[in-house]
Amino acid sequence: GRMSGPAHPRVTSVALLVVKETTPGTLYALYEVLGSAGVAWPAVTGQRTDAPRLDVRIVSADGKPFAGVMGVPIAPHAALDAAGAPDVVIATDLDLTGLADPRGRWPAEARWLAQQWRRGAVLVSVCTGAVLLAEAGVLDGAEATTHWSAAGLFRDLYPAVRLRPERVLCPAGEAHRLLTSGGAASWEDLALHLVGRFC
């Protein structure tokens, strides 16, 4: 018979980083879509695939369940100190309503993101999640995009970021280890990009 691929395709680990301001829609949409890569196709078609998989986990500072924006429950799989060494870290969008100055608001998460960056992880943001990457200092000097409503906040508080708010996706840095995406609906473009890149 024909040569078959590996029985266990390689896995890329993805951490979805959540904070109290994380909005649930994009978080759970990305969790579902990225977790379905290489899994849904054989289930739906009966055809085998050797596509690499994405192992997706939700992580937070303390790993404890909490009521997110609009009261939707968010139950992380792990705390940051137990999150291992993910290949990709995604900061999904934040509800910044009434938060004029987010600087210093997420110190543990910012430190962890900076550690992941130094370690070689790919850092990604959706929409206003770019603020978390800015807090970690990793966007300084880099091109980045975010939701149009946060453009003023970036100009005022994170002037070292070369903001490109008109872009849907904005790869930056060596080997495109930084990847920011624009408005809320751009998570779909981001998901397709990540599946194409890692699977």
Side-chain angles (χ1 to χ4, degrees), residues 23 36 38 51 62-63 68 85 89 99 117 127 133 136 138-139 153 166 174 183 196:
T23 60
S36 299
D62 63 7
V89 178
L99 193 59
W117 175 249
C127 193
L133 300 191
V138 300
L139 295 184
L153 182 146
E166 74 284 357
E174 190 183 344

Side-chain angles (χ1 to χ4, degrees), residues 42-61:
V44 171
T45 65
Q47 296 173 4
R48 196 177 150 176
T49 175
D50 293 324
R53 305 285 168 81
L54 299 172
D55 174 36
V56 188
R57 300 172 83 209
I58 298 171
V59 301
S60 71

Side-chain angles (χ1 to χ4, degrees), residues 12 14-18 22-37 54-58 77 88-94 123-129 169 179-195 199:
T12 298
V14 179
L16 291 164
L17 174 63
V18 297
T22 296
T23 60
T26 307
L27 169 69
Y28 287 127
L30 278 171
Y31 182 79
E32 179 180 350
V33 170
L34 296 179
S36 299
L54 299 172
D55 174 36
V56 188
R57 300 172 83 209
I58 298 171
H77 297 100
V88 181
V89 178
I90 306 177
T92 62
D93 47 308
L94 308 172
L123 298 193
V124 180
S125 68
V126 180
C127 193
T128 47
L169 287 181
L179 178 64
T180 54
S181 63
S186 63
W187 76 265
E188 295 179 358
D189 300 274
L190 177 69
L192 291 171
H193 175 94
L194 292 173
V195 169
C199 302

